């Protein structure tokens, strides 16, 4: 199998993180967080190219960058929600990426993804039509009532946290995301769009340190994790 392209949504504003500069441009272990993520992906031998999706009014991106570690880097503008950005990225992929060819989607905000996890996702999800990295829930899960008190304890068994990368055939994912958008359904990850289209994505257990940088505390943790990994 030839190499896979990876769509990297990075068009968010980082509202939960706060601050003037979107979190993907903050320094993480000496480089912008976004560049750390792009290098993590580009270093993978089975990733052929990167499609970066940034906000149309983005002022922080180094527009001259056309490759990362020797892999081509293309760029397009994102949309209001993450799913809109991913769909824009899929549509902007080179024509050489055939509809039945698997593509990866990976959050810019996850700089700690492990090369070995990406390999396992590709190995396991390509033969079954798609899947995602995920981690089984470890904590006890509570349902809250309107007063912030426990209404119920939910079963933890069979519950997973969806991570990225997620891997699906380009054409099927594009169609599933477009269909959900047309129906006005809010989609929070690629697997959800595929589920809605009748597919059953494979859960591939990934390392829990593939964190999404959401708050300032996560940035500190990511710095620690990156320093340890290198
Ligand atoms: N993203 C995107 N387009 C959007 C919203 C999000 O490309 N309209 C990207 C983010 O840049 C991030 C990834 O999707 O890399 C995961 O989203 P999240 O962690 O929620 O980032 P933000 O949306 O930027 O943060 P927040 O929800 O706190 O505003
Ligand atoms: Mg968001």
């Amino acid at each position: 199998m030839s190499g896979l392209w990876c769509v990297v949504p990075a068009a968010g504003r980082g509202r939960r993180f706060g601050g003037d500069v979107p979190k993907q441009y903050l320094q993480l272990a000496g480089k912008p967080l976004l560049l750390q993520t792009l290098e993590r992906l580009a270093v993978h031998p089975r990733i052929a190219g990167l499609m970066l999706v940034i906000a149309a009014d983005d002022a922080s991106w180094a527009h001259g960058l056309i490759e990362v570690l020797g892999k081509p880097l293309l760029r397009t503008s994102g949309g209001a929600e993450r799913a809109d950005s991913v769909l824009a990225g899929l549509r902007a992929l080179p024509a050489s990426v055939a509809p039945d060819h698997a593509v990866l989607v990976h959050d810019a905000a996850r700089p700690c993804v492990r090369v070995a996890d990406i390999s396992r996702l590709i190995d396991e999800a390509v033969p079954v039509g798609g899947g995602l990295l995920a981690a089984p829930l470890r904590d006890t899960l509570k349902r809250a009532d309107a007063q912030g008190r426990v209404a119920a304890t939910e079963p933890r068994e069979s519950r997973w946290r969806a991570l990225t990368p997620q891997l699906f055939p380009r054409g099927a994912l594009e169609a599933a995301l477009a269909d959900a958008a047309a129906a006005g359904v809010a989609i929070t990850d690629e697997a959800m769009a595929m589920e809605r289209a009748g597919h059953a994505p494979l859960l591939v257990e990934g390392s829990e340190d593939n964190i999404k940088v959401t708050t300032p505390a996560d940035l500190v943790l990511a710095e620690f994790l990156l320093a340890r990994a290198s």
Side-chain angles (χ1 to χ4, degrees), residues 16-143:
R16 284 169 291 180
F17 196 99
D20 295 336
V21 178
K23 62 191 181 185
Q24 56 269 31
Y25 297 112
L26 298 179
Q27 290 291 308
L28 172 64
K31 290 175 194 167
L33 190 162
L34 175 54
L35 194 56
Q36 293 281 13
T37 304
L38 293 174
E39 290 187 355
R40 277 281 165 133
L41 296 167
V43 82
H44 198 287
R46 292 172 74 182
I47 290 184
L50 303 169
M51 170 58 70
L52 175 63
V53 188
I54 58 175
D57 60 353
D58 192 299
S60 307
W61 174 245
H63 289 270
L65 203 62
I66 57 163
E67 57 173 49
V68 178
L69 304 179
K71 306 275 176 80
L73 175 75
L74 302 181
R75 179 170 42 88
T76 195
S77 294
E81 302 296 333
R82 181 182 176 283
D84 304 319
S85 297
V86 172
L87 183 55
L90 290 167
R91 287 180 167 155
L93 284 171
S96 59
V97 183
D100 63 348
H101 205 131
V103 295
L104 295 156
V105 178
H106 182 65
D107 288 331
R110 294 185 189 272
C112 303
V113 61
R114 295 179 181 218
V115 167
D117 280 0
I118 299 174
S119 300
R120 224 149 28 77
L121 176 66
I122 295 171
D123 289 342
E124 295 183 21
V126 168
V128 299
L132 64 150
L133 288 183
L137 208 68
R138 307 269 185 225
D139 301 314
T140 297
L141 195 61
K142 303 292 189 189
R143 180 181 297 278

Side-chain angles (χ1 to χ4, degrees), residues 192-209:
M192 185 183 171
M194 295 297 284
E195 292 155 37
R196 195 176 162 273
H199 301 272
L202 182 69
L203 291 159
V204 177
E205 186 165 354
S207 170
E208 308 223 21
D209 56 18

